[in-house]
Amino acid sequence: MSHIENLLDKLEECDNATSFLQVSNKILNLKLKALLPDVFVQDELVREYAVEPLLKEEGPLVTTDVVSKLMLAMGKISLQTYADIGLYNQVLDYTLSQPEKLEFGDETIYDFLKHQTILSSQQDSFYLESIDQLRFSSFESFSQMRYESLIKTVMKLSCEMLLKRIEEEIA
């Protein structure tokens, strides 16, 4: 099982949105860095002396933001994919700046999901519609726990769909 698959499994263990965003951002970073060598010249010397130093922990391509900008600039990912990656980064930065960890039912997390292009496409918009149905129904008909569970499920699906889209665009 790969490191990314292990982290995807860890998403299930996250008990709040802040920890979920930390793990999902790490997954996105690892996926981008794993695919990045494929966009450069496929020469062994170039890989060893130019690409690998860029990807080292202290290298300039250590942050998700820089890697995603490079891939966008090289035409390897779409503007929508870049925007979704950036949204993950922005929401994580916001949640980490808060004095308390954000829960899945927090309004910020709802807004985060509503603004993802991956979830707003015609075929995947039913995820958001399901959330809205629960969100705007009477609280007697469902519990807050069910609502937060649905949010967590949709967050995991959006992360997995974004990973798939990144792979498809770069491949």
Side-chain angles (χ1 to χ4, degrees), residues 12-154:
E12 289 298 322
E13 299 169 16
C14 294
D15 58 354
N16 60 65
T18 301
S19 62
F20 189 99
L21 286 165
Q22 287 174 309
V23 174
S24 60
N25 271 279
K26 184 163 183 72
I27 293 168
L28 290 171
N29 183 276
L30 288 171
K31 177 56 85 175
L32 287 170
K33 286 170 62 174
L35 294 171
L36 190 59
D38 296 339
V39 303
F40 292 112
V41 175
Q42 298 302 311
D43 178 273
E44 199 57 44
L45 284 175
V46 171
R47 266 186 190 265
E48 183 178 346
Y49 293 105
V51 177
E52 288 177 13
L54 291 172
L55 297 174
K56 285 187 178 174
E57 201 55 45
E58 66 278 352
L61 299 179
V62 72
T63 67
T64 304
D65 184 50
V66 173
V67 175
S68 63
K69 281 180 183 171
L70 177 63
M71 288 194 170
L72 175 67
M74 295 175 75
K76 297 299 181 180
I77 60 172
S78 66
L79 186 57
Q80 291 82 8
T81 301
Y82 172 75
D84 281 350
I85 294 167
L87 187 58
Y88 267 87
N89 264 333
Q90 290 172 345
V91 174
L92 175 62
D93 289 346
Y94 172 77
T95 60
L96 292 176
S97 72
Q98 298 305 298
E100 294 183 21
K101 294 182 179 196
L102 291 180
E103 298 301 321
F104 290 106
D106 191 280
E107 190 69 24
T108 302
I109 302 305
Y110 173 77
D111 289 341
F112 163 68
L113 291 173
K114 289 294 271 187
H115 288 95
Q116 288 185 26
T117 62
I118 193 112
L119 292 175
S120 61
S121 69
Q122 285 291 338
Q123 69 189 61
D124 297 315
S125 64
F126 68 91
Y127 295 122
L128 295 176
E129 291 166 8
S130 298
I131 290 171
D132 283 341
Q133 285 176 354
L134 277 178
R135 184 170 190 250
F136 296 117
S137 67
S138 117
F139 276 94
E140 288 113 30
S141 65
F142 76 98
S143 70
Q144 183 69 18
M145 196 163 70
R146 280 180 55 201
Y147 174 71
E148 290 185 7
S149 177
L150 177 61
I151 293 284
K152 183 178 179 179
T153 300
V154 173

